[in-house]
Amino acid sequence: MTKRVGEPPVRRAVVSGSAFEERIGYARAVVDGDRVHVSGTTGFDYASMTISGDVVEQAEQCLRNIGAALAEAGCTFADVVRVRYLLPAREDFEPCWPVLRRTFEPVRPAATMMVCGLADERMRIEIEVDARRGTVAAGPGSALRIGPVDGNAMVEEWRHVHNMIVPPAAMTSDEARDRAGRNRLANAYLGDVLVGCSTVRPPAGGERVATVIARVLPAYRGRGIGTALYEEGLAHARELDAGAVETVVLAANADGLRFAAARGFVEKERYVLDGERDEWVDLRLAATAA
């Protein structure tokens, strides 16, 4: 089967910079289709290759390391289906429970605790997880939540996603705040992880044309997040009594163009802004799709 451009690779490795990965020859995590397998991870700070002597602090660092690997794999702790805890001393496990519960209680993965020796005597706990990159949708009980941008912190998060997806139109903080004053902006989070954003420009002109734009960070595409963002934005445009709906996509963004076409948008115009080289595409939602 031929893989479409923009789809996540069937299998890829995620590395963290740990000296152990290099010396032994393994990856921090492996993405295999929708499955993500995170290697046994200890409490080393991989930037400095130092480790605390306290088991609870080690557990906290383990989770930070695992969270970074999951994010690079395009998922979060909300996607974890199994966790394994390995400790040399069984009495060290219970002190870690509050830290582990904060992370895993919302998703309740299957879990196993084993008492065994670890590779370095400084290591007091090792954690490995398996996760599944499933389709997600906004709604009660979902790990995906979409919220209107409110306050400078959320504006900066929105700006981060916008600038990652459309670098030719990268905004300053002031420009993003101005955009928030004129349009309805929203951010999407998977658990506590920022994964996308949207823009709804209010209806304007005789046709009352509203613009709805959904953006998803590349690692999190193909999971229904863009659809949820788009549908939430479209519903808001209709609340504003939009007579027509348009979107705009950077021509080089093949994923974005496919997404728009699959939802009934048809190309209206291609253009290059004065003094620039990047091509943009304006598309309008067909009347039958609306």
Side-chain angles (χ1 to χ4, degrees):
M1 182 175 69
T2 302
K3 183 174 77 70
R4 294 186 306 169
V5 175
E7 288 185 345
V10 173
R11 186 184 188 280
R12 68 181 176 92
V14 173
V15 297
S16 68
S18 164
F20 297 110
E21 295 167 36
E22 182 66 24
R23 293 171 185 168
I24 301 172
Y26 68 98
R28 179 57 43 203
V30 172
V31 181
D32 187 10
D34 287 338
R35 301 286 176 175
V36 178
H37 307 279
V38 181
S39 297
T41 300
T42 60
F44 273 91
D45 179 335
Y46 296 138
S48 61
M49 286 308 293
T50 57
I51 189 169
S52 169
D54 181 78
V55 68
V56 176
E57 291 180 4
Q58 286 193 26
E60 291 171 338
Q61 185 63 48
C62 286
L63 295 174
R64 283 193 290 270
N65 295 339
I66 291 170
L70 289 172
E72 191 169 341
C75 55
T76 72
F77 282 109
D79 300 301
V80 171
V81 296
R82 170 167 275 285
V83 57
R84 298 175 183 86
Y85 305 107
L86 296 81
L87 297 93
R90 61 172 48 88
E91 61 269 20
D92 277 348
F93 190 40
E94 187 169 352
C96 298
W97 288 359
V99 170
L100 305 176
R101 185 169 58 248
R102 284 197 299 271
T103 297
F104 293 113
E105 186 174 34
V107 65
R108 294 295 182 99
T112 301
M113 181 274 194
M114 294 177 281
V115 176
C116 61
L118 299 180
D120 186 313
E121 63 181 12
R122 293 173 293 175
M123 299 172 180
R124 298 179 63 182
I125 185 170
E126 183 171 308
I127 304 173
E128 68 174 64
V129 305
D130 295 319
R132 181 175 180 274
R133 290 168 33 96
T135 300
V136 294
S142 172
L144 177 65
R145 58 186 175 88
I146 299 172
V149 166
D150 181 19
N152 287 336
M154 289 188 74
V155 169
E156 284 302 302
E157 290 178 324
W158 181 92
R159 185 172 77 95
H160 169 75
V161 177
H162 174 277
N163 291 356
M164 288 286 291
I165 305 302
V166 284
M171 294 184 189
T172 65
S173 295
D174 287 342
E175 289 171 332
R177 284 192 291 270
D178 176 70
R179 190 66 57 93
R182 293 186 287 110
N183 303 323
R184 194 262 195 176
L185 311 182
N187 291 339
Y189 305 87
L190 196 55
D192 293 326
V193 178
L194 177 71
V195 295
C197 74
S198 67
T199 300
V200 178
R201 299 174 189 162
E207 295 183 87
R208 294 193 55 77
V209 178
T211 300
V212 177
I213 305 171
R215 309 176 187 89
V216 178
L217 293 172
Y220 298 92
R221 292 175 183 170
R223 302 193 59 187
I225 297 168
T227 298
L229 272 167
Y230 164 69
E231 291 178 348
E232 194 265 355
L234 182 63
H236 183 72
R238 287 172 172 159
E239 288 175 5
L240 297 176
D241 196 28
V245 174
E246 293 185 352
T247 193
V248 57
V249 181
L250 189 64
N253 183 358
D255 284 348
L257 290 174
R258 272 196 301 273
F259 179 90
R263 279 143 193 86
F265 283 87
V266 294
E267 185 174 326
K268 178 184 173 186
E269 179 184 11
R270 288 182 179 242
Y271 54 92
V272 176
L273 297 173
D274 291 342
E276 298 184 5
R277 294 184 297 177
D278 297 284
E279 186 177 45
W280 298 86
V281 185
D282 284 346
L283 304 102
R284 177 169 288 199
L285 188 63
T288 54

